[in-house]
């Protein structure tokens, strides 16, 4: 029987996971140097540009030991960002071992720890690896001590490699064979195959990436997807080499792909278990979760004629991304559009960028917000509702109680920055929990924070306040009561629904004042004076005025030269891109995100 090793590489962002994976592919002859493109596993353009791995992938390698013993390695790549934590957990479940990569110059960071804890929870064998030992700033001795403190391993257990020069990669290949256990090969049990990733192909439908945990799946077998109760035949199955390589059977321990004319990713969800329709497994693999949106934002076409195009673009994106959700929304200010739900801020940015790039649709997005639970007093009767759109938050007088999501944030930082970080967390309504000192003058600080405050600009402020040295990881805790109100913005007395936000009552005045000032700066002068007001219910709490334009621009053209006049008008039109006419006022896209760019 072939010997198999299933493993993943876990690391903090930029610690060199993809580069190291490239070296493994090269040394096992999975790809030749000619085929070698930098970071071959990051195959989406956007991923490459941002230098982050968004979707997990898997690849099969054949490793021949110096003693000629042959092994199959399945490397399962995991996304590195906190938004995609669930995908990480599923990918880990498909493995018996994990290579924990730590940058030998930077040391342990927030995602190193959170990924490691997840891997330990799944019972994986951990191979600690210091990467980038070629760097002049590498400090392997100190960083080794950090790793020892973290996982309690022996000094000798820690490998030292360089993904750049390839140093130490042979030792790593041997360690994979020696330390990571072989998968259980329980072929006689009923089939259980875990979907740890899926992608959508226009011609073939969803392609599920699976790890067979027990039993075996043959080509043509009738399959049952246990969470969605969908039934399909396994039309094609195979291994995931650089290209897909069809085979006739995937057995317990194997990693591969399954194609079954599955119409959408909604039917073949990450985390679901595939079994046989007849004599299938009784229980799915535990831990399945529906992906739950955490951050919401309105998406509107700049030109209302583009509404149908936007709808079809979102439909297409959703085929590729089962964690994107959306529903139609009508805004008085922005017209017809959609309210979309995302896993987190990064996920939101990716979707917005793809709409722009791949579908070429000009969109206006509104300020992101979280989901609230609200209890209202309706003529003496109490009712609960979920609010994911600030403009739907009932007036302050009707609201009995509002609950908002809290997160537990772990921040790792050089000790010099403890002060600024605590101030930031305090400003963001954080509740201090504890701090733990680590080797090398570093500290892990834990706070509980309202998620809404983190969604805003927390991460940027954390980075700029620590010169980029602090790293953040978070997990959802629970919903807690908060004294929250809806802050409305009025232009010339008319509320603009898309500019409403939800804020803590104590911060409302300051927030209102700042938004008004920012809008004054962002909204171009109009023919008339425009009053900008912030209000809670009917009470105006801040005000600014955008003064009227003094002269018509074309007045400068002496009335005579018609071509010049036309040029000016053309120029003005270009400048109008991404402007939205709201009542009599033209508002640029940036204004809808004013709250985000305030100090
Ligand atoms: P994510 O996909 O965002 O999680 O990043 P990653 O962990 O895959 O990191 P990646 O492989 O993209 O490497 C990050 C940066 O470090 C790149 O600029 C690499 O060229 C560089 N790098 C990776 N490994 C080494 C190494 O061993 N030595 C040196 N000097 N640089 C390295």
């Amino acid at each position: 029987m072939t010997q198999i090793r299933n493993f993943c590489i876990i690391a903090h962002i930029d610690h060199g996971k993809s580069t190291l994976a490239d070296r493994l592919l090269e040394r096992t002859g999975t790809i030749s140097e000619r085929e070698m493109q930098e970071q071959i596993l990051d195959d989406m353009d956007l991923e490459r540009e941002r230098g982050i791995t968004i979707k997990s992938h898997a690849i099969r390698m054949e490793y021949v030991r110096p003693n000629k013993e042959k092994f199959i390695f399945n490397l399962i790549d995991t996304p590195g960002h906190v938004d995609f934590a669930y995908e990480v957990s599923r990918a880990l479940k498909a493995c018996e071992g994990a290579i924990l990569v730590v940058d030998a110059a930077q040391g342990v960071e927030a995602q190193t720890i959170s990924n490691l804890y997840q891997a330990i929870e799944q019972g994986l064998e951990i191979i600690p690896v210091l990467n980038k030992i070629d760097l002049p700033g590498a400090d392997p001795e100190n960083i080794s001590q950090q790793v020892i403190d973290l996982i309690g391993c022996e000094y000798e257990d820690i490998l030292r490699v360089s993904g750049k020069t390839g140093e130490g990669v042979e030792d790593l290949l041997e360690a994979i064979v020696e330390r990571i256990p072989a998968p259980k090969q329980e072929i006689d049990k009923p089939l259980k195959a875990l979907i740890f990733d899926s992608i959508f192909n226009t011609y073939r439908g969803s392609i599920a990436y699976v790890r067979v945990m027990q039993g075996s799946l043959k080509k043509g077998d009738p399959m049952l997807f246990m969470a969605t109760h969908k039934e399909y035949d396994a039309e094609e199955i195979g291994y995931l080499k650089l290209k897909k390589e069809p085979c006739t059977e995937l057995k317990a321990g194997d990693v591969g792909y399954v194609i079954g004319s599955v119409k959408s990713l909604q039917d073949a969800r990450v985390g679901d278990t595939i079994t046989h329709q007849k004599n299938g497994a009784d229980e799915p693999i535990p831990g399945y979760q529906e992906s739950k949106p955490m951050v919401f934002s309105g998406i509107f076409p700049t030109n209302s004629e583009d509404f149908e195009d936007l709808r079809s673009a979102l439909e297409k994106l959703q085929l590729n991304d089962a964690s994107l959700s959306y529903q139609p929304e009508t805004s008085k200010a922005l017209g017809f559009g959609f309210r979309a739900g995302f896993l987190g801020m990064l996920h939101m940015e990716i979707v917005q960028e793809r709409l722009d790039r791949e579908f070429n649709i000009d969109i206006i997005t509104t300020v992101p917000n979280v989901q609230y639970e609200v209890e209202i007093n309706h003529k003496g009767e109490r009712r609960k509702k979920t609010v994911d759109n600030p403009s739907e938050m009932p007036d302050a007088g009707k609201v009995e109680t509002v609950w908002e999501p809290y997160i537990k944030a772990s921040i790792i930082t050089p000790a010099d920055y403890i002060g600024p970080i605590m101030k930031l967390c305090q400003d963001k309504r954080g509740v201090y929990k504890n701090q733990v000192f680590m080797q090398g003058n570093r500290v892990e600080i834990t706070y509980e924070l309202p998620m809404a405050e983190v969604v805003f600009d927390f991460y940027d402020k954390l980075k700029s306040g620590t010169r980029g040295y602090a790293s953040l990881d978070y997990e959802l805790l629970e919903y807690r009561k908060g004294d929250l109100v809806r802050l409305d913005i009025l232009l010339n007395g008319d509320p603009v629904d898309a500019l409403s936000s939800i804020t803590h009552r104590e911060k409302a005045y300051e927030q209102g004042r700042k938004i008004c000032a920012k809008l004054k700066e962002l909204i171009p002068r109009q023919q008339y004076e425009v009053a900008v007001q912030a209000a809670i219910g009917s009470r105006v709490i801040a005000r600014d005025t955008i003064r009227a334009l003094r002269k018509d621009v074309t007045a400068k053209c002496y009335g005579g030269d018609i071509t010049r006049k036309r040029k000016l008008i053309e120029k003005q039109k270009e400048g109008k891109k991404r402007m939205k006419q709201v009542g009599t006022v033209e508002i640029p896209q940036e204004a809808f995100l004013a709250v985000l760019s305030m100090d």
Side-chain angles (χ1 to χ4, degrees), residues 18-172:
S18 306
T19 312
L20 191 59
D22 289 350
R23 290 293 88 71
L24 296 179
L25 296 180
E26 230 174 48
R27 294 293 159 96
T28 54
T30 313
I31 37 170
S32 64
E33 246 167 80
R34 190 176 51 80
E35 291 166 312
M36 187 78 210
Q37 255 178 307
E38 272 223 71
Q39 292 177 25
I40 200 106
L41 292 179
D42 289 350
D43 60 1
M44 268 166 72
D45 263 4
L46 207 63
E47 282 190 47
R48 201 170 298 224
E49 254 170 59
R50 289 176 167 245
I52 45 165
T53 309
I54 300 163
K55 290 288 286 179
S56 41
H57 304 262
I59 194 151
R60 178 181 167 104
M61 299 176 246
E62 283 161 19
Y63 173 58
V64 185
R65 296 183 80 173
N67 69 8
K68 302 287 179 260
E69 256 186 301
K70 283 188 183 159
F71 280 79
I72 300 287
F73 284 179
N74 289 304
L75 165 60
I76 293 170
D77 195 21
T78 57
H81 194 276
V82 51
D83 284 3
F84 303 94
Y86 176 62
E87 287 188 21
V88 177
S89 87
R90 296 295 86 186
L92 295 180
K93 190 125 194 131
C95 304
E96 277 77 33
I99 301 174
L100 177 73
V101 172
V102 179
D103 186 319
Q106 289 213 295
V108 168
E109 296 284 0
Q111 267 113 48
T112 315
I113 298 186
S114 64
N115 282 327
L116 171 71
Y117 285 171
Q118 285 204 48
I120 292 173
E121 236 168 73
Q122 302 288 350
L124 303 194
E125 181 65 36
I126 311 288
I127 303 181
V129 171
L130 299 189
N131 188 31
K132 307 197 189 181
I133 50 160
D134 60 289
L135 282 179
D139 182 4
E141 290 307 312
N142 247 319
I143 310 290
S144 290
Q145 196 53 49
Q146 280 184 10
V147 172
I148 292 167
D149 291 346
L150 188 64
I151 51 184
C153 60
E154 299 294 327
Y155 180 83
E156 299 72 41
D157 295 340
I158 304 171
L159 301 180
R160 295 183 180 190
V161 306
S162 163
K164 189 172 175 190
T165 65
E167 190 182 341
V169 173
E170 266 78 24
D171 290 344
L172 177 57

Side-chain angles (χ1 to χ4, degrees), residues 414-537:
D416 314 351
Y417 299 110
I418 295 177
I421 289 175
M422 289 201 162
K423 173 157 192 324
L424 173 66
C425 291
Q426 231 73 45
D427 285 350
K428 298 286 185 187
R429 300 193 278 132
V431 181
Y432 171 80
K433 283 288 138 185
N434 69 348
Q435 67 184 30
V436 179
F437 283 84
M438 299 165 32
Q439 184 71 28
N441 195 34
R442 292 161 74 78
V443 193
E444 181 182 14
I445 306 173
T446 311
Y447 263 89
E448 292 176 357
L449 288 147
M451 182 158 179
E453 301 279 352
V454 178
V455 160
F456 263 27
D457 53 0
F458 185 83
Y459 191 64
D460 291 342
K461 285 206 164 140
L462 181 71
K463 281 285 172 192
S464 60
T466 61
R467 299 207 193 154
Y469 281 123
S471 58
L472 165 75
D473 197 82
Y474 65 78
E475 59 182 280
L476 189 66
L477 281 175
E478 75 237 319
Y479 276 71
R480 293 184 188 170
K481 276 186 196 174
D483 190 6
L484 302 163
V485 290
R486 191 185 75 230
L487 182 66
D488 292 326
I489 301 297
L490 292 77
L491 294 180
N492 277 343
D494 293 328
V496 180
D497 55 1
L499 288 175
S500 292
S501 56
I502 293 170
T503 177
H504 196 264
R505 194 184 300 272
E506 277 172 16
K507 290 187 165 185
Y509 285 89
E510 198 195 337
Q511 179 112 334
R513 205 165 33 75
K514 283 185 178 167
I515 298 179
C516 287
K518 193 79 196 174
L519 289 175
K520 180 181 175 183
E521 192 184 298
L522 289 174
I523 297 176
R525 289 192 186 184
Q526 323 270 321
Q527 302 294 344
Y528 310 94
E529 191 174 278
V530 178
V532 187
Q533 294 168 306
I536 300 175

